[in-house]
Every structure is written in C-alpha cells, then in structure tokens.
Amino acid sequence: DQQVKQNSPSLSVQEGRISILNCDYTNSMFDYFLWYKKYPAEGPTFLISISSIKDKNEDGRFTVFLNKSAKHLSLHIVPSQPGDSAVYFCAARSPFGNEKLTFGTGTRLTIIP
Amino acid sequence: GAVVSQHPSRVICKSGTSVKIECRSLDFQATTMFWYRQFPKKSLMLMATSNEGSKATYEQGVEKDKFLINHASLTLSTLTVTSAHPEDSSFYICSAREDRHRNEKLFFGSGTQLSVL
C-alpha cells in the first residue's frame, strides 16, 4: 500500500521555466512533509519542508504547496537551472512512534539547457 | 553540512554468505539511524530504526534474524544481511538523525548496491 505517491516518474523542463513536481498521499495523519533531492551515486539531501498547519513554504527558488483537503503537495522550482537535474523524493512524516518518514517513488527532473 | 558515510557502495556475493554494511556519521552524534531498502522504480522502504545502545525496531514484514542491525556507538550502525539470497539483491541506504524532532536534520549515506549471485 503506497501511502505516498509520485505519479510522474520523469519530467523535462526548459532552463528558466518553472518545474512543478507533484506528490499525493493517502494518510491524513501525516503531519509534516519534506522534499529531498538526489544526485546519482549520492544519498538524498534535504531540500524543503512544510508543516501540515501551513499551505505554503518558500525558500529561494523553491516553494512547496500543501493542499490538505486534496492530500496533495507540490514543489515548484523557478527559474529552473541545469543543476536542478536530479531525482526528487517527497516524504511524509507520521506523528506517532519514531516519527518515521514514508517516501514516494521519486521523479527524475531533467532541465534542458 | 553533516556527512554520513556508508560502505561498501557496491558488493557482489555468493548465495549463502553474509554481508555487512556500515553507516557512520562523521561529524555529529546520531542517536537514531534508519535503514532503508529500495527496489528498482520503487520508493525507499524503511526496514528498521536503530537506536544507540538498544535493540533495533523492525518494520512489519522485515525479518530481524535476516537483517541484523547493530548500533554500538553514537556514530556507527551496521546492517548485516545473513545468508544472503538472490531475492535480497537490492539497494540499501542508511540515514542518521542529528536532532530528535527535526526530520530535515536527516542525513543519508550514499547507499549500497547488493547483488547476490
């Protein structure tokens, strides 16, 4: 049972344009959401997060939007740069137990120069 | 930023042998480390949570006698795949948490690709 879904395995965007990566979840108890970025042969690194009590969080070129009623979050990158080419994972945190993270399957973003 | 070192990055072994994977936090103390497994085109699946000085907590469906986890110090956790079989072939990755309540302070190793022949 995939509780966090990233339905687009890949996405290509022209440099300078906006990249929008989507993530859907099914568990309404998730209280915190994170985006991680992963380059080949490296582990994921934290990018941006959002609490379930907010609907938007912005950090430079990166903005995460949360729609709790739709159980949907998105990551916007604008303007997109070649260095943004990577695999992006969304993750959701459970408030119970050890606060473990549940990850999506990832979206491979390719920025076209 | 903080660094988590994971070794080896790739291992090929014969069926029936055991393989040990190390995860070290290089510049911080990690009271909690997590072990994940990822199959191709699938998400990172949490296998177990490792707390320093205590027994690991395994997720449902993960065999604790198959995947031995030891967290002997605040900077080192090991995952041993015992009597490995081809179905254990997968990508294993660890992460270490620096701060108990802040998941963004979760740092990942670079992963280990295990291939069992």
Side-chain angles (χ1 to χ4, degrees):
Chain A
D1 177 30
Q2 191 71 31
Q3 295 189 61
V4 178
K5 298 179 183 179
Q6 291 176 257
N7 291 318
S8 297
S10 62
L11 175 68
S12 295
V13 175
Q14 203 77 31
E15 181 179 1
R17 298 288 186 98
I18 183 171
S19 295
I20 300 176
L21 296 97
N22 294 303
C23 179
D24 297 290
Y25 62 96
T26 58
N27 189 343
S28 58
M29 299 303 292
F30 287 140
D31 68 343
Y32 202 77
F33 303 88
L34 307 94
W35 285 93
Y36 286 83
K37 178 179 180 179
K38 183 184 183 301
Y39 291 117
E42 296 182 12
T45 55
F46 170 75
L47 188 59
I48 192 169
S49 62
I50 188 167
S51 166
S52 61
I53 62 174
K54 295 186 176 181
D55 54 18
K56 177 182 175 181
N57 187 28
E58 190 173 353
D59 183 4
R61 296 186 298 114
F62 303 92
T63 303
V64 56
F65 295 92
L66 175 63
N67 183 333
K68 285 186 66 179
S69 61
K71 295 190 180 67
H72 176 84
L73 64 154
S74 61
L75 173 67
H76 292 212
I77 306 173
V78 57
S80 300
Q81 299 174 354
D84 296 330
S85 295
V87 177
Y88 290 80
F89 292 95
C90 69
R93 187 182 75 181
S94 167
F96 306 112
N98 57 21
E99 301 178 341
K100 68 178 184 181
L101 296 181
T102 302
F103 285 85
T105 51
T107 297
R108 180 178 299 280
L109 175 65
T110 302
I111 305 303
I112 304 165
Chain B
V3 177
V4 172
S5 174
Q6 184 174 343
H7 292 283
S9 59
R10 180 177 293 273
V11 59
I12 301 172
C13 69
K14 291 183 179 180
S15 184
T17 60
S18 294
V19 175
K20 180 185 282 189
I21 303 169
E22 289 190 349
C23 182
R24 293 180 184 272
S25 56
L26 297 185
D27 54 1
F28 66 98
Q29 293 185 331
T31 54
T32 305
M33 289 187 174
F34 301 89
W35 287 95
Y36 297 85
R37 180 175 183 177
Q38 185 179 26
F39 291 105
K41 298 184 180 180
K42 300 290 185 182
S43 60
L44 291 168
M45 297 296 295
L46 180 66
M47 297 175 65
T49 302
S50 169
N51 293 297
E52 186 267 337
S54 63
K55 288 184 178 181
T57 303
Y58 289 82
E59 295 300 302
Q60 191 173 13
V62 178
E63 300 176 59
K64 60 181 181 181
D65 295 330
K66 173 78 170 172
F67 299 99
L68 299 179
I69 292 172
N70 184 279
H71 194 158
S73 75
L74 285 171
T75 59
L76 175 64
S77 177
T78 60
L79 167 67
T80 301
V81 183
T82 61
S83 187
H85 286 92
E87 59 265 30
D88 298 324
S89 298
S90 186
F91 184 74
Y92 294 86
I93 191 166
C94 69
S95 66
R97 187 159 65 191
E98 183 176 27
D99 185 308
R100 172 70 174 83
H101 295 292
R102 299 194 62 184
N103 266 304
E104 55 262 41
K105 292 295 186 183
L106 190 64
F107 301 98
F108 286 82
S110 53
T112 299
Q113 183 65 52
L114 171 64
S115 300
V116 184
L117 304 178

Tab-separated table of all heavy atoms in Angstrom, chain A residues 2 32 34 36 38 41-46 49 89 93 97-101 103-105, chain B residues 34 36 38 41-44 46 49 57 59 91 93 97 100-101 103-104 106 108-110:
chain	number	residue	atom	x	y	z
A	2	GLN	N	0.897	1.938	-1.137
A	2	GLN	CA	1.759	3.093	-1.309
A	2	GLN	C	1.052	4.307	-0.732
A	2	GLN	O	0.120	4.838	-1.340
A	2	GLN	CB	2.060	3.278	-2.808
A	2	GLN	CG	3.138	4.261	-3.128
A	2	GLN	CD	4.528	3.782	-2.745
A	2	GLN	OE1	4.815	2.594	-2.769
A	2	GLN	NE2	5.371	4.703	-2.385
A	32	TYR	N	3.843	16.266	8.606
A	32	TYR	CA	4.992	17.033	8.132
A	32	TYR	C	5.435	16.416	6.819
A	32	TYR	O	5.442	15.191	6.686
A	32	TYR	CB	6.117	16.945	9.177
A	32	TYR	CG	7.130	18.049	9.120
A	32	TYR	CD1	6.844	19.314	9.619
A	32	TYR	CD2	8.400	17.831	8.595
A	32	TYR	CE1	7.773	20.329	9.583
A	32	TYR	CE2	9.333	18.841	8.555
A	32	TYR	CZ	9.027	20.085	9.055
A	32	TYR	OH	9.939	21.090	9.022
A	34	LEU	N	8.262	16.584	3.452
A	34	LEU	CA	9.604	17.026	3.074
A	34	LEU	C	9.877	16.655	1.622
A	34	LEU	O	9.331	15.683	1.103
A	34	LEU	CB	10.655	16.359	3.958
A	34	LEU	CG	10.487	16.470	5.470
A	34	LEU	CD1	9.741	15.275	6.052
A	34	LEU	CD2	11.851	16.588	6.148
A	36	TYR	N	13.226	15.810	-0.824
A	36	TYR	CA	14.640	15.505	-0.876
A	36	TYR	C	15.065	15.454	-2.336
A	36	TYR	O	14.298	15.084	-3.221
A	36	TYR	CB	14.944	14.149	-0.221
A	36	TYR	CG	14.869	14.154	1.284
A	36	TYR	CD1	13.656	14.005	1.942
A	36	TYR	CD2	16.021	14.312	2.046
A	36	TYR	CE1	13.600	14.010	3.336
A	36	TYR	CE2	15.971	14.311	3.435
A	36	TYR	CZ	14.751	14.161	4.059
A	36	TYR	OH	14.697	14.171	5.428
A	38	LYS	N	18.137	14.028	-4.959
A	38	LYS	CA	19.172	13.004	-5.022
A	38	LYS	C	19.895	13.045	-6.366
A	38	LYS	O	19.274	12.913	-7.420
A	38	LYS	CB	18.560	11.615	-4.807
A	38	LYS	CG	19.595	10.498	-4.784
A	38	LYS	CD	18.948	9.141	-4.656
A	38	LYS	CE	19.994	8.029	-4.552
A	38	LYS	NZ	20.894	7.963	-5.692
A	41	ALA	N	24.660	8.366	-7.445
A	41	ALA	CA	25.748	7.895	-6.582
A	41	ALA	C	25.859	8.686	-5.276
A	41	ALA	O	26.869	8.598	-4.580
A	41	ALA	CB	27.090	7.914	-7.305
A	42	GLU	N	24.851	9.454	-4.952
A	42	GLU	CA	24.828	10.163	-3.679
A	42	GLU	C	23.534	9.860	-2.944
A	42	GLU	O	22.545	9.448	-3.550
A	42	GLU	CB	24.940	11.674	-3.892
A	42	GLU	CG	26.255	12.122	-4.505
A	42	GLU	CD	26.325	13.635	-4.647
A	42	GLU	OE1	25.463	14.331	-4.065
A	42	GLU	OE2	27.244	14.125	-5.329
A	43	GLY	N	23.548	10.070	-1.627
A	43	GLY	CA	22.325	9.905	-0.878
A	43	GLY	C	21.428	11.114	-1.037
A	43	GLY	O	21.863	12.183	-1.439
A	44	PRO	N	20.135	10.978	-0.724
A	44	PRO	CA	19.224	12.125	-0.802
A	44	PRO	C	19.647	13.223	0.163
A	44	PRO	O	20.165	12.946	1.248
A	44	PRO	CB	17.879	11.518	-0.382
A	44	PRO	CG	18.019	10.050	-0.570
A	44	PRO	CD	19.448	9.744	-0.309
A	45	THR	N	19.421	14.460	-0.219
A	45	THR	CA	19.681	15.595	0.673
A	45	THR	C	18.404	16.406	0.825
A	45	THR	O	17.621	16.544	-0.118
A	45	THR	CB	20.804	16.499	0.136
A	45	THR	OG1	20.470	16.913	-1.190
A	45	THR	CG2	22.129	15.770	0.107
A	46	PHE	N	18.238	16.930	2.006
A	46	PHE	CA	17.035	17.693	2.320
A	46	PHE	C	16.955	18.960	1.477
A	46	PHE	O	17.953	19.658	1.284
A	46	PHE	CB	17.030	18.056	3.804
A	46	PHE	CG	15.970	19.041	4.174
A	46	PHE	CD1	14.645	18.648	4.264
A	46	PHE	CD2	16.285	20.366	4.410
A	46	PHE	CE1	13.666	19.561	4.595
A	46	PHE	CE2	15.311	21.290	4.744
A	46	PHE	CZ	13.994	20.887	4.834
A	49	SER	N	10.737	21.766	3.412
A	49	SER	CA	9.694	21.039	4.124
A	49	SER	C	8.502	21.943	4.389
A	49	SER	O	8.568	23.163	4.200
A	49	SER	CB	10.238	20.495	5.449
A	49	SER	OG	10.650	21.562	6.295
A	89	PHE	N	12.434	13.278	-4.271
A	89	PHE	CA	11.547	12.428	-3.481
A	89	PHE	C	10.725	13.293	-2.549
A	89	PHE	O	11.257	14.186	-1.894
A	89	PHE	CB	12.353	11.449	-2.615
A	89	PHE	CG	13.099	10.397	-3.385
A	89	PHE	CD1	14.434	10.583	-3.721
A	89	PHE	CD2	12.480	9.212	-3.745
A	89	PHE	CE1	15.138	9.613	-4.426
A	89	PHE	CE2	13.170	8.238	-4.449
A	89	PHE	CZ	14.495	8.441	-4.785
A	93	ARG	N	5.824	12.509	7.147
A	93	ARG	CA	6.166	12.031	8.481
A	93	ARG	C	4.928	11.660	9.275
A	93	ARG	O	3.926	12.381	9.283
A	93	ARG	CB	6.925	13.109	9.248
A	93	ARG	CG	7.461	12.641	10.596
A	93	ARG	CD	8.162	13.769	11.327
A	93	ARG	NE	7.215	14.727	11.880
A	93	ARG	CZ	7.564	15.810	12.548
A	93	ARG	NH1	8.845	16.089	12.724
A	93	ARG	NH2	6.658	16.635	13.031
A	97	GLY	N	4.984	6.981	17.008
A	97	GLY	CA	6.155	6.094	17.035
A	97	GLY	C	7.439	6.871	16.924
A	97	GLY	O	7.658	7.861	17.605
A	98	ASN	N	8.293	6.457	16.031
A	98	ASN	CA	9.600	7.092	15.886
A	98	ASN	C	9.606	8.184	14.829
A	98	ASN	O	10.652	8.559	14.337
A	98	ASN	CB	10.651	6.041	15.560
A	98	ASN	CG	10.322	5.259	14.304
A	98	ASN	OD1	9.542	5.708	13.468
A	98	ASN	ND2	10.911	4.092	14.160
A	99	GLU	N	8.440	8.686	14.505
A	99	GLU	CA	8.313	9.756	13.513
A	99	GLU	C	8.965	9.365	12.195
A	99	GLU	O	9.651	10.158	11.572
A	99	GLU	CB	8.936	11.045	14.055
A	99	GLU	CG	8.288	11.510	15.351
A	99	GLU	CD	8.941	12.760	15.918
A	99	GLU	OE1	10.077	13.068	15.546
A	99	GLU	OE2	8.301	13.426	16.736
A	100	LYS	N	8.727	8.180	11.773
A	100	LYS	CA	9.377	7.689	10.566
A	100	LYS	C	8.825	8.393	9.338
A	100	LYS	O	7.718	8.913	9.333
A	100	LYS	CB	9.174	6.189	10.425
A	100	LYS	CG	7.739	5.769	10.137
A	100	LYS	CD	7.635	4.269	9.975
A	100	LYS	CE	6.238	3.840	9.584
A	100	LYS	NZ	6.118	2.365	9.446
A	101	LEU	N	9.642	8.400	8.304
A	101	LEU	CA	9.267	9.001	7.041
A	101	LEU	C	8.827	7.927	6.053
A	101	LEU	O	9.403	6.853	6.000
A	101	LEU	CB	10.457	9.763	6.443
A	101	LEU	CG	10.987	10.968	7.211
A	101	LEU	CD1	12.139	11.615	6.457
A	101	LEU	CD2	9.882	11.981	7.462
A	103	PHE	N	8.365	7.500	2.006
A	103	PHE	CA	8.828	8.156	0.798
A	103	PHE	C	7.983	7.810	-0.413
A	103	PHE	O	7.404	6.714	-0.501
A	103	PHE	CB	10.279	7.739	0.500
A	103	PHE	CG	11.293	8.390	1.390
A	103	PHE	CD1	11.591	7.857	2.633
A	103	PHE	CD2	11.956	9.540	0.989
A	103	PHE	CE1	12.526	8.457	3.467
A	103	PHE	CE2	12.904	10.141	1.805
A	103	PHE	CZ	13.180	9.602	3.046
A	104	GLY	N	7.933	8.734	-1.356
A	104	GLY	CA	7.383	8.456	-2.667
A	104	GLY	C	8.429	7.763	-3.512
A	104	GLY	O	9.568	7.550	-3.075
A	105	THR	N	8.062	7.428	-4.750
A	105	THR	CA	8.953	6.684	-5.632
A	105	THR	C	9.942	7.569	-6.367
A	105	THR	O	10.851	7.080	-7.008
A	105	THR	CB	8.156	5.888	-6.662
A	105	THR	OG1	7.234	6.776	-7.289
A	105	THR	CG2	7.389	4.751	-6.003
B	34	PHE	N	18.452	5.068	10.542
B	34	PHE	CA	17.406	4.339	9.833
B	34	PHE	C	18.024	3.556	8.681
B	34	PHE	O	18.951	4.022	8.032
B	34	PHE	CB	16.357	5.305	9.274
B	34	PHE	CG	15.683	6.157	10.308
B	34	PHE	CD1	16.222	7.384	10.665
B	34	PHE	CD2	14.512	5.747	10.908
B	34	PHE	CE1	15.610	8.184	11.617
B	34	PHE	CE2	13.879	6.539	11.861
B	34	PHE	CZ	14.430	7.760	12.216
B	36	TYR	N	17.021	1.726	5.058
B	36	TYR	CA	16.009	1.633	4.019
B	36	TYR	C	16.465	0.641	2.956
B	36	TYR	O	17.647	0.369	2.784
B	36	TYR	CB	15.801	2.989	3.346
B	36	TYR	CG	15.274	4.079	4.237
B	36	TYR	CD1	16.137	4.841	5.022
B	36	TYR	CD2	13.916	4.373	4.281
B	36	TYR	CE1	15.660	5.854	5.831
B	36	TYR	CE2	13.428	5.390	5.086
B	36	TYR	CZ	14.305	6.126	5.849
B	36	TYR	OH	13.827	7.130	6.646
B	38	GLN	N	15.550	-0.179	-1.291
B	38	GLN	CA	14.860	0.338	-2.462
B	38	GLN	C	15.009	-0.618	-3.620
B	38	GLN	O	16.131	-0.942	-4.035
B	38	GLN	CB	15.404	1.711	-2.863
B	38	GLN	CG	14.643	2.349	-4.017
B	38	GLN	CD	15.172	3.715	-4.392
B	38	GLN	OE1	16.339	4.028	-4.167
B	38	GLN	NE2	14.315	4.555	-4.955
B	41	LYS	N	12.593	1.313	-9.347
B	41	LYS	CA	11.337	2.019	-9.619
B	41	LYS	C	10.366	1.981	-8.437
B	41	LYS	O	9.179	2.229	-8.610
B	41	LYS	CB	10.671	1.469	-10.873
B	41	LYS	CG	11.518	1.645	-12.121
B	41	LYS	CD	10.793	1.174	-13.358
B	41	LYS	CE	11.677	1.363	-14.582
B	41	LYS	NZ	11.013	0.908	-15.825
B	42	LYS	N	10.891	1.684	-7.283
B	42	LYS	CA	10.057	1.700	-6.081
B	42	LYS	C	10.590	2.741	-5.112
B	42	LYS	O	11.687	3.261	-5.280
B	42	LYS	CB	10.075	0.313	-5.398
B	42	LYS	CG	9.551	-0.799	-6.264
B	42	LYS	CD	8.061	-0.687	-6.467
B	42	LYS	CE	7.533	-1.882	-7.232
B	42	LYS	NZ	6.073	-1.757	-7.492
B	43	SER	N	9.810	3.032	-4.083
B	43	SER	CA	10.239	4.038	-3.117
B	43	SER	C	11.183	3.443	-2.091
B	43	SER	O	11.304	2.227	-1.967
B	43	SER	CB	9.025	4.646	-2.428
B	43	SER	OG	8.304	3.644	-1.749
B	44	LEU	N	11.839	4.332	-1.356
B	44	LEU	CA	12.642	3.900	-0.223
B	44	LEU	C	11.699	3.325	0.827
B	44	LEU	O	10.769	3.989	1.272
B	44	LEU	CB	13.391	5.087	0.385
B	44	LEU	CG	14.512	5.704	-0.431
B	44	LEU	CD1	14.940	7.031	0.174
B	44	LEU	CD2	15.698	4.770	-0.502
B	46	LEU	N	11.346	1.844	4.583
B	46	LEU	CA	12.015	1.729	5.869
B	46	LEU	C	12.028	0.282	6.322
B	46	LEU	O	10.988	-0.377	6.347
B	46	LEU	CB	11.306	2.598	6.907
B	46	LEU	CG	11.904	2.586	8.303
B	46	LEU	CD1	13.300	3.211	8.298
B	46	LEU	CD2	11.007	3.341	9.288
B	49	THR	N	14.545	0.896	12.468
B	49	THR	CA	15.069	2.068	13.162
B	49	THR	C	16.056	1.586	14.214
B	49	THR	O	15.735	0.697	15.018
B	49	THR	CB	13.933	2.845	13.832
B	49	THR	OG1	12.984	3.224	12.835
B	49	THR	CG2	14.458	4.085	14.526
B	57	THR	N	14.268	-1.470	16.034
B	57	THR	CA	12.835	-1.659	15.827
B	57	THR	C	12.605	-1.935	14.355
B	57	THR	O	12.902	-1.091	13.513
B	57	THR	CB	12.053	-0.396	16.245
B	57	THR	OG1	12.349	-0.085	17.602
B	57	THR	CG2	10.559	-0.636	16.085
B	59	GLU	N	10.363	-2.870	10.920
B	59	GLU	CA	9.063	-2.656	10.310
B	59	GLU	C	8.411	-4.004	10.024
B	59	GLU	O	9.075	-5.039	9.917
B	59	GLU	CB	9.204	-1.857	9.021
B	59	GLU	CG	9.709	-0.437	9.238
B	59	GLU	CD	8.783	0.371	10.127
B	59	GLU	OE1	7.587	0.506	9.778
B	59	GLU	OE2	9.259	0.885	11.159
B	91	PHE	N	19.044	-2.189	-3.281
B	91	PHE	CA	19.814	-1.009	-2.890
B	91	PHE	C	19.454	-0.701	-1.439
B	91	PHE	O	18.289	-0.508	-1.104
B	91	PHE	CB	19.445	0.160	-3.810
B	91	PHE	CG	20.232	1.418	-3.574
B	91	PHE	CD1	21.555	1.505	-3.974
B	91	PHE	CD2	19.646	2.518	-2.970
B	91	PHE	CE1	22.285	2.663	-3.775
B	91	PHE	CE2	20.365	3.679	-2.753
B	91	PHE	CZ	21.691	3.753	-3.163
B	93	ILE	N	20.140	1.740	1.925
B	93	ILE	CA	20.652	3.069	2.258
B	93	ILE	C	20.340	3.385	3.712
B	93	ILE	O	19.274	3.016	4.220
B	93	ILE	CB	20.074	4.135	1.296
B	93	ILE	CG1	20.799	5.467	1.447
B	93	ILE	CG2	18.574	4.295	1.472
B	93	ILE	CD1	20.513	6.436	0.306
B	97	ARG	N	19.930	10.652	12.108
B	97	ARG	CA	19.233	11.852	12.545
B	97	ARG	C	20.048	12.563	13.608
B	97	ARG	O	20.442	11.965	14.608
B	97	ARG	CB	17.855	11.489	13.075
B	97	ARG	CG	16.990	12.693	13.391
B	97	ARG	CD	15.537	12.316	13.425
B	97	ARG	NE	15.218	11.393	14.502
B	97	ARG	CZ	14.045	10.765	14.598
B	97	ARG	NH1	13.114	10.968	13.694
B	97	ARG	NH2	13.828	9.933	15.592
B	100	ARG	N	16.460	15.064	17.428
B	100	ARG	CA	15.328	14.155	17.646
B	100	ARG	C	14.052	14.580	16.943
B	100	ARG	O	13.282	13.776	16.458
B	100	ARG	CB	15.076	14.067	19.166
B	100	ARG	CG	13.813	13.303	19.564
B	100	ARG	CD	13.951	11.815	19.290
B	100	ARG	NE	12.819	11.064	19.790
B	100	ARG	CZ	11.685	10.924	19.147
B	100	ARG	NH1	11.511	11.518	17.973
B	100	ARG	NH2	10.688	10.222	19.658
B	101	HIS	N	13.794	15.894	16.897
B	101	HIS	CA	12.496	16.326	16.404
B	101	HIS	C	12.538	17.091	15.104
B	101	HIS	O	11.592	17.756	14.760
B	101	HIS	CB	11.815	17.175	17.479
B	101	HIS	CG	11.499	16.404	18.713
B	101	HIS	ND1	10.552	15.423	18.739
B	101	HIS	CD2	12.027	16.451	19.949
B	101	HIS	CE1	10.509	14.905	19.956
B	101	HIS	NE2	11.378	15.502	20.711
B	103	ASN	N	13.146	16.421	11.231
B	103	ASN	CA	13.452	15.464	10.176
B	103	ASN	C	14.326	16.034	9.078
B	103	ASN	O	14.949	15.282	8.342
B	103	ASN	CB	12.177	14.888	9.577
B	103	ASN	CG	11.806	13.580	10.246
B	103	ASN	OD1	12.607	12.657	10.274
B	103	ASN	ND2	10.621	13.503	10.794
B	104	GLU	N	14.369	17.369	8.938
B	104	GLU	CA	15.277	17.888	7.919
B	104	GLU	C	16.718	17.662	8.315
B	104	GLU	O	17.611	17.707	7.486
B	104	GLU	CB	15.021	19.364	7.647
B	104	GLU	CG	15.071	20.238	8.862
B	104	GLU	CD	13.694	20.514	9.397
B	104	GLU	OE1	12.872	19.596	9.417
B	104	GLU	OE2	13.452	21.659	9.819
B	106	LEU	N	18.029	15.016	8.807
B	106	LEU	CA	18.196	13.605	8.498
B	106	LEU	C	19.162	13.517	7.337
B	106	LEU	O	18.888	14.013	6.253
B	106	LEU	CB	16.844	13.009	8.131
B	106	LEU	CG	16.722	11.498	7.981
B	106	LEU	CD1	16.987	10.816	9.300
B	106	LEU	CD2	15.331	11.142	7.469
B	108	PHE	N	21.634	11.279	4.763
B	108	PHE	CA	21.678	9.967	4.146
B	108	PHE	C	23.084	9.576	3.727
B	108	PHE	O	23.886	10.413	3.330
B	108	PHE	CB	20.777	9.935	2.907
B	108	PHE	CG	19.307	9.895	3.224
B	108	PHE	CD1	18.616	11.058	3.526
B	108	PHE	CD2	18.625	8.687	3.218
B	108	PHE	CE1	17.265	11.021	3.812
B	108	PHE	CE2	17.275	8.643	3.509
B	108	PHE	CZ	16.590	9.812	3.805
B	109	GLY	N	23.342	8.284	3.803
B	109	GLY	CA	24.537	7.747	3.184
B	109	GLY	C	24.305	7.660	1.683
B	109	GLY	O	23.213	7.940	1.190
B	110	SER	N	25.329	7.245	0.967
B	110	SER	CA	25.227	7.184	-0.492
B	110	SER	C	24.683	5.846	-0.991
B	110	SER	O	24.464	5.667	-2.175
B	110	SER	CB	26.595	7.462	-1.132
B	110	SER	OG	27.564	6.592	-0.576
